[in-house]
């Protein structure tokens, strides 16, 4: 059984103020060994239609094919399903009500994996489902500035949604300072779906795997099935793509 992370009142205060919270050592080294093994199992699972969703990218270093991301994991892996359960308690503390899972993924960011332009996660159409989500970032590997750790602009979540389906513009970013938040295995960053963040490509030689699980308050409903159905229609996993169609990652 994984340990259940618990937040204290200082954590809740920091989350309200900054729009994110770094909980160091939320999972023990033993739990992280287990989660790392699960992640290896996930990569080894056959990439077939109708299961977990695998997305690839071209290396920024040499154009080689890399796995960039695997989504929709917990329905097909009991270990990750347990992890989504373990995160519900701290999520409920932050949401002030029981937490319902919305979506989850692993961003692999292999050596050569690309970064992410500054954005708010709600910009990716999440506002169609609920007005507020919180994500937990579980650091599987160490993340550093060199391998593309998250960078957060604290305190700007209170301004709500900027332009949908576009990264943040220069004018929207005026007054924002993006600060690198390196993490060690077992650290968890909880962040609000309006908290601006970005990351650099991984030009180092180290893999940077991060698990993300996103939740909304139970009073806002259970949207996971509909979210995945809508996303499938617009941005299906690579295995289900039509050859002659172009799919654009927007935010
Ligand atoms: O994993 C990263 O570097 C950032 C990912 C991110 O912000 C996202 O997937 O929305
Ligand atoms: Fe994001």
């Amino acid at each position: 059984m994984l340990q259940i992370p618990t937040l204290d009142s200082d954590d809740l205060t920091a989350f309200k103020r900054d729009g994110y919270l770094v909980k160091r050592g939320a999972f023990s080294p033993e739990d992280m060994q287990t989660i790392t093994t699960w992640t290896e199992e996930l990569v080894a699972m056959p990439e077939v239609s109708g299961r977990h969703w695998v997305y690839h990218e071209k290396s920024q270093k040499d154009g080689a094919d890399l796995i960039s991301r695997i989504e929709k994991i917990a329905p097909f892996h009991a270990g990750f399903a347990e992890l989504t359960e373990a995160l519900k308690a701290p999520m409920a503390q932050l949401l002030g009500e029981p937490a319902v899972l919305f979506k989850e993924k692993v961003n692999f960011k292999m050596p050569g994996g690309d970064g992410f332009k500054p954005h708010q996660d709600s910009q990716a159409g999440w506002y169609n489902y609920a007005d507020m989500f919180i994500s937990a970032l579980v650091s599987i590997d160490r993340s550093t500035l060199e391998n593309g750790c998250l960078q957060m602009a604290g305190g700007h979540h209170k301004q709500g949604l900027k332009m949908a389906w576009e990264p943040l513009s220069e004018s929207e970013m005026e007054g924002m300072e993006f600060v690198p938040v390196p993490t060690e295995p077992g650290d968890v960053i909880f962040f609000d779906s309006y908290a601006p963040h970005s990351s650099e490509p991984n030009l180092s030689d180290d893999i940077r795997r991060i698990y993300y699980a996103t939740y909304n308050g139970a009073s806002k409903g259970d949207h996971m099935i509909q979210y995945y159905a809508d996303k499938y229609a617009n941005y299906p996993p690579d295995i289900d793509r039509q050859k002659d169609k172009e799919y654009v990652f927007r935010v």
Side-chain angles (χ1 to χ4, degrees):
M1 284 288 282
L2 298 174
Q3 85 189 34
I4 310 283
T6 309
L7 307 180
D8 58 33
S9 62
D10 287 350
D11 293 333
L12 303 186
T13 305
F15 182 81
K16 276 213 177 76
R17 182 190 60 224
D18 301 332
Y20 72 95
L21 159 71
V22 187
K23 192 70 182 168
R24 301 282 174 198
F27 290 103
S28 67
E30 295 72 33
D31 282 351
M32 290 320 297
Q33 267 180 17
T34 306
I35 292 170
T36 302
T37 303
W38 292 343
T39 310
E40 286 159 3
E41 288 169 6
L42 179 63
V43 174
M45 274 158 51
E47 186 179 345
V48 292
S49 190
R51 304 277 300 173
H52 60 298
W53 293 354
V54 183
Y55 296 89
H56 299 249
E57 66 181 324
K58 292 261 173 285
S59 169
Q60 302 293 306
K61 292 184 175 188
D62 57 11
D65 177 70
L66 306 173
I67 289 180
S68 64
R69 183 160 95 250
I70 299 184
E71 296 203 23
K72 203 181 179 189
I73 302 165
F76 305 105
H77 192 288
F80 282 99
E82 184 187 340
L83 180 52
T84 65
E85 289 302 316
L87 290 165
K88 277 185 176 168
M91 278 293 167
Q93 288 183 279
L94 295 169
L95 289 162
E97 60 169 326
V100 174
L101 183 65
F102 178 57
K103 60 172 289 177
E104 26 109 46
K105 64 180 175 186
V106 172
N107 280 358
F108 284 82
K109 205 176 271 190
M110 311 257 188
D114 205 359
F116 291 78
K117 296 194 179 93
H119 65 277
Q120 301 165 300
D121 285 343
S122 273
Q123 290 179 310
W126 296 7
Y127 51 81
N128 287 320
Y129 306 93
D131 59 4
M132 206 272 194
F133 298 89
I134 301 176
S135 295
L137 170 166
V138 180
S139 198
I140 301 170
D141 298 306
R142 160 180 288 180
S143 80
T144 63
L145 188 54
E146 291 70 37
N147 70 16
C149 67
L150 223 64
Q151 307 202 27
M152 306 286 320
H156 293 275
H157 59 296
K158 293 176 186 145
Q159 297 162 26
L161 186 71
K162 308 281 185 186
M163 178 76 94
W165 293 113
E166 302 263 358
L168 296 170
S169 66
E170 286 300 327
S171 66
E172 286 166 340
M173 287 193 285
E174 227 165 61
M176 290 184 188
E177 190 194 352
F178 288 82
V179 178
V181 187
T183 51
E184 294 294 325
D187 292 349
V188 174
I189 305 178
F190 294 92
F191 62 106
D192 183 302
S193 57
Y194 298 108
H197 58 281
S198 64
S199 66
E200 293 292 318
N202 180 3
L203 301 179
S204 81
D205 296 328
D206 307 316
I207 189 168
R208 193 234 60 177
R209 292 166 298 187
I210 284 180
Y211 175 74
Y212 294 92
T214 303
Y215 299 80
N216 59 266
S219 66
K220 309 282 168 65
D222 182 344
H223 304 287
M224 190 169 76
I225 289 173
Q226 191 61 49
Y227 169 77
Y228 281 135
D230 295 343
K231 181 157 187 177
Y232 187 88
N234 296 310
Y235 204 72
D238 290 356
I239 193 97
D240 288 340
R241 293 198 165 189
Q242 292 167 24
K243 275 207 184 65
D244 48 357
K245 200 167 158 184
E246 206 194 340
Y247 299 88
V248 183
F249 181 82
R250 290 184 289 176
V251 65

